[in-house]
Amino acid sequence: MIAVIQRVTEASVTIDQQVKGAINQGLLVLLGIASEDNEEDIEWLVKKIINLRIFGDEEGKMNLSLNDVAGDILLISQFTLHASTKKGNRPSYIKAAKPDVAIPIYEHFIKIMEKQLGKPIATGEFGADMKVRLLNDGPVTIMIDTKNKQ
């Protein structure tokens, strides 16, 4: 499972010209699910995202977590995070989980994130053509791969 996490002052996702989800201060999380991802990956990644200390404290140091600033999350599924560009110029997505595997994992990720965060999160729609807007704060962008925990 790969997550690209961006600290934002605002973010939204639009599908068919309708805003599906929007947040103010918080994190935009782009989530790529691989076929071998499991419950352990979900639990570890959710905890890591929620506890990342990437928000500024009173001295301006990145020392506060999402909970510390009462921030929100906008979660977007993005299979292209598993693109392989090793051969040729057309990316291969062979590592990305197929929808029958990825959708239940994505939905479970949402439930675990909401439970750990203690409030609902905003989301896109799995497989939809989405337009994502964000105002990256910093900018701060962090990538986490659950296969590289050590």
Side-chain angles (χ1 to χ4, degrees), residues 8-145:
V8 298
T9 55
E10 62 184 72
S12 65
V13 60
T14 301
I15 303 169
D16 295 327
Q17 300 178 346
Q18 299 287 327
V19 174
K20 166 81 166 73
I23 63 169
N24 288 312
Q25 181 184 33
L27 300 174
L28 169 63
V29 178
L30 305 173
L31 183 69
I33 300 167
S35 51
E36 71 271 5
D37 290 333
N38 58 37
E39 179 77 22
E40 181 182 322
D41 293 307
I42 294 169
E43 295 281 345
W44 183 85
L45 187 55
V46 165
K47 184 182 281 189
K48 182 64 84 173
I49 291 169
I50 289 174
N51 292 303
L52 276 177
R53 293 174 24 195
I54 59 173
F55 292 91
D57 62 16
E58 56 280 344
E59 296 176 12
K61 291 184 181 179
M62 287 198 290
N63 206 22
L64 301 176
S65 71
L66 189 66
N67 282 328
D68 294 330
V69 298
D72 293 314
I73 288 183
L74 173 57
L75 178 70
I76 306 293
S77 64
Q78 189 169 355
F79 75 94
T80 60
L81 292 176
H82 285 287
S84 173
T85 57
K86 202 179 233 186
K87 295 181 182 176
N89 294 317
R90 183 169 186 228
S92 168
Y93 303 104
I94 194 110
K95 290 184 179 181
K98 303 286 185 244
D100 62 319
V101 171
I103 291 171
I105 292 172
Y106 176 70
E107 291 173 349
H108 190 60
F109 190 96
I110 293 167
K111 287 179 186 171
I112 298 299
M113 178 67 77
E114 289 178 335
K115 182 179 177 188
Q116 293 292 323
L117 197 56
K119 62 182 176 181
I121 66 169
T123 67
E125 182 181 313
F126 191 94
D129 180 23
M130 297 177 273
K131 308 300 182 212
V132 180
R133 287 184 181 264
L134 69 134
L135 185 53
N136 194 319
D137 182 19
V140 175
T141 302
I142 296 171
M143 189 171 100
I144 299 175
D145 185 340

